[in-house]
Amino acid sequence: MSSQLQSISRLRALLDEKKASATELAQEALRNAGQQSSLNAFVDIRDDLTLQQAKAADARLAAGETGALLGIPTAHKDIFVTQGWTSTAGSKMLAGYVSPFDAEVVVRLNAAGTVSIGKLNCDEFAMGSSNEKSAYGPCLNPWDTLAVPGGSSGGSAVAVAAGVVPFTTGTDTGGSIRQPASLCGITGIKPTYGSCSRYGMIAYASSLDQAGPMAHSARDCALVLNAMVGFDGKDSTSVQRPASNEDFTAGFGKPLRHGDTAKPLAGVRVGLPVEFFGEGLAADVRIPIDAALKQLESMGATLVNISLPRTELSIPAYYVIAPAEASSNLSRFDGVRYGHRAADYTDLKSMYENSRSEGFGLEVQRRIMVGAYVLSHGYYDAYYLKAQKIRRLIAQDFQAAFQQCDFIAGPVSPTVAWNLGEKSADPVQMYLADIYTLSTSLAGLPGMSVPVGFGDKNRPVGMQLIGNYFKEGELLALADHYQAATDWHLRTPS
Ligand code: GLN
């Protein structure tokens, strides 16, 4: 374990014991970000804004205020709009754009007293699994700079894994929190769809987009999630629940069902989908996951074999639905109301065409074309409607599985991080890497990635844990039990 691990609890202790001020922590984080700039995790840093937030946190601390996140440094994925810092979704289309307001998630974290170090690199409009499709260039995996960090929240994962900040925000549409967390050896959770407000999150696929925290441990994720979730009338899909001020750490350290401290997972059934452990799963990923499952078993959990029979269909269904929604969401970038406008055009049509061709990268253009196609007259029923029906069946498969188990476990990614450039030429190869994360997103279920070891070339491996709707408290408690017994989440790249 590295003594330099930037956990929230370590920094909390420094702040509470007055061994460091929020300003000193912010200065250290800014220094770290500068030293690690070759990883290309940050796309906008403004020391003055950071130090202003730190000063405000110090004033609150001096006034005797307490709070889990007060004075803790963080950074936000460039998908969240922020006042002061640029908000570009990793796209040339929004180069230099500064929002007049903060995303709701950012508002909530600011209110909790966090101090932002800046904005984090991501795949353009959150489309990608490698963070190579960013207008700012690729972000590098701190465990091995030849490897991708995963995507689309690559910068969010790297900033934590490289020890710049203890936690970051990410967004997950089809795996973009879980997969980079897995590939970078950190913990990340996508909560139930509707838990975190999407207000001010630059939209990719609205029925799938969901924000969540990325940190070293389940405990830190829970503390951040406490501040992030909650009903927001400004988001029409925000869920209003009686337990909206739920403390996600409430179940920590307690037996999950009826076990005792020696067997805290007694009575817990962990389902293993046969489709998640088939041919496509690399052996070097499978070995640490099998060991993690044994660990859960030794803590009292019962492993049960289950089936999610439409897992394979999640790829075509997702890659119809997400582009369809993206083509609609991205139509607002027309060179008139927002974003880049081409210098050369002859009429309105060529202004649209040139602005969009110059502003959007190739992957984004590909998805807009696919999306417009599957929504068009004559193809809507054959593709879009069919994909929606499959989506419903996938959600039903999960409910059938949850009759047999309390949680579902499996890999996040079929392989460890691949090399930069390795899958760039063939978009389908990149899409296939999402096989284990897409179905959870299509169903709107909470899912997380927990570090469980290392595979080939000493690249990190994450285990995915999936729960039923609004079970993120239990999910995090389960992960916390695992992390209390193991130290994979404490490892840091040298
Ligand atoms: N890799 C998936 C995609 O490219 C998921 C991205 C995401 O979750 N934002 O769409």
Side-chain angles (χ1 to χ4, degrees):
M1 157 183 178
S2 154
S3 59
Q4 281 313 301
L5 188 78
Q6 300 280 359
S7 73
I8 293 178
S9 49
R10 173 176 167 259
L11 300 187
R12 178 83 269 132
L14 292 177
L15 289 165
D16 289 347
E17 290 159 22
K18 308 251 179 286
K19 290 190 180 137
S21 65
T23 301
E24 283 162 347
L25 294 187
Q27 282 163 336
E28 191 190 325
L30 286 168
R31 243 187 336 268
N32 287 344
Q35 277 161 8
Q36 311 265 26
S37 62
S38 61
L39 296 173
N40 203 22
F42 283 83
V43 298
D44 196 23
I45 293 184
R46 290 170 198 244
D47 296 30
D48 53 330
L49 296 177
T50 299
L51 296 174
Q52 225 172 309
Q53 289 192 340
K55 201 172 152 199
D58 277 328
R60 287 168 66 177
L61 286 163
E65 212 182 301
T66 55
L69 303 181
L70 183 54
I72 303 291
T74 185
H76 300 296
K77 184 177 182 180
D78 199 27
I79 286 289
F80 295 94
V81 299
T82 45
Q83 285 177 302
W85 290 271
T86 55
S87 300
T88 75
S91 181
K92 192 180 158 199
M93 183 54 96
L94 281 168
Y97 175 72
V98 180
S99 166
F101 66 97
D102 282 322
E104 180 64 19
V105 158
V106 173
V107 168
R108 285 173 192 248
L109 288 169
N110 285 347
T114 63
V115 177
S116 178
I117 302 308
K119 299 303 282 293
L120 296 162
N121 204 349
C122 60
D123 283 301
E124 186 176 3
F125 287 101
M127 298 174 190
S129 311
S130 66
N131 208 142
E132 293 168 294
K133 310 265 189 258
S134 160
Y136 299 95
C139 180
L140 310 184
N141 191 319
W143 292 94
D144 182 341
T145 52
L146 294 176
V148 299
S152 63
S153 313
S156 304
V158 170
V160 173
V164 177
V165 286
F167 84 91
T168 55
T169 53
T171 64
D172 190 311
T173 303
S176 282
I177 288 176
R178 291 161 284 160
Q179 190 255 19
S182 174
L183 270 43
C184 288
I186 64 163
T187 306
I189 181 166
K190 174 194 96 73
T192 307
Y193 180 79
S195 300
C196 293
S197 171
R198 289 184 298 108
Y199 185 74
M201 252 168 70
I202 297 171
Y204 162 19
S206 309
S207 77
L208 295 152
D209 295 343
Q210 189 50 212
M214 303 172 78
H216 287 288
S217 64
R219 180 169 291 274
D220 283 0
C221 283
L223 293 172
V224 180
L225 202 57
N226 280 349
M228 287 175 78
V229 302
F231 175 69
D232 178 15
K234 299 187 293 308
D235 170 4
S236 62
T237 56
S238 174
V239 181
Q240 196 157 19
R241 301 181 67 233
S244 63
N245 53 0
E246 182 179 353
D247 175 5
F248 293 110
T249 64
F252 280 34
K254 298 174 192 155
L256 226 58
R257 290 287 182 272
H258 48 69
D260 51 33
T261 37
K263 295 260 183 227
L265 303 183
V268 173
R269 299 163 304 165
V270 177
L272 310 179
V274 55
E275 295 80 6
F276 280 30
F277 291 89
E279 256 185 83
L281 181 59
D284 64 314
V285 172
R286 179 158 192 158
I287 292 165
I289 289 178
D290 282 343
L293 293 171
K294 279 222 168 61
Q295 176 65 38
L296 296 182
E297 220 175 5
S298 77
M299 297 163 80
T302 311
L303 305 181
V304 292
N305 291 321
I306 59 161
S307 174
L308 294 170
R310 276 102 174 178
T311 298
E312 230 173 62
L313 292 180
S314 65
I315 296 179
Y318 174 90
Y319 280 101
V320 166
I321 294 168
E325 295 186 21
S327 73
S328 168
N329 276 325
L330 271 55
S331 65
R332 71 188 59 151
F333 300 102
D334 56 6
V336 179
R337 287 167 295 178
Y338 299 92
H340 174 76
R341 182 182 297 181
D344 293 325
Y345 54 88
T346 50
D347 55 9
L348 183 65
K349 189 161 173 280
S350 68
M351 194 271 280
Y352 287 156
E353 274 175 7
N354 296 352
S355 301
R356 286 168 69 83
S357 302
E358 290 170 14
F360 290 136
L362 289 183
E363 181 62 23
V364 174
Q365 293 189 32
R366 175 168 19 244
R367 297 204 190 187
I368 291 172
M369 278 164 62
V370 169
Y373 180 79
V374 300
L375 288 175
S376 62
H377 183 72
Y379 297 102
Y380 181 94
D381 287 356
Y383 296 109
Y384 183 71
L385 202 62
K386 180 87 30 83
Q388 291 288 25
K389 288 179 181 171
I390 293 169
R391 181 178 192 175
R392 171 61 64 89
L393 294 173
I394 287 171
Q396 285 171 355
D397 286 348
F398 273 108
Q399 290 315 306
F402 284 126
Q403 300 292 317
Q404 293 169 266
C405 61
D406 307 291
F407 304 98
I408 294 169
V412 174
S413 167
T415 64
V416 293
W418 54 90
N419 284 345
L420 287 148
E422 201 178 315
K423 295 188 202 278
S424 299
D426 183 353
V428 174
Q429 281 310 312
M430 193 83 86
Y431 302 165
L432 290 175
D434 297 339
I435 177 80
Y436 304 128
T437 54
L438 297 178
S439 52
T440 324
S441 295
L442 288 166
L445 292 165
M448 64 185 298
S449 179
V450 178
V452 293
F454 297 87
D456 281 357
K457 302 189 184 140
N458 210 32
R459 294 179 183 178
V461 173
M463 173 167 69
Q464 185 170 206
L465 294 172
I466 302 164
N468 212 340
Y469 299 112
F470 302 109
K471 296 287 186 203
E472 30 284 274
E474 286 193 355
L475 203 52
L476 287 159
L478 171 69
D480 180 62
H481 279 301
Y482 173 79
Q483 293 185 334
T486 57
D487 70 353
W488 301 112
H489 63 296
L490 303 176
R491 311 282 180 100
T492 50
S494 50

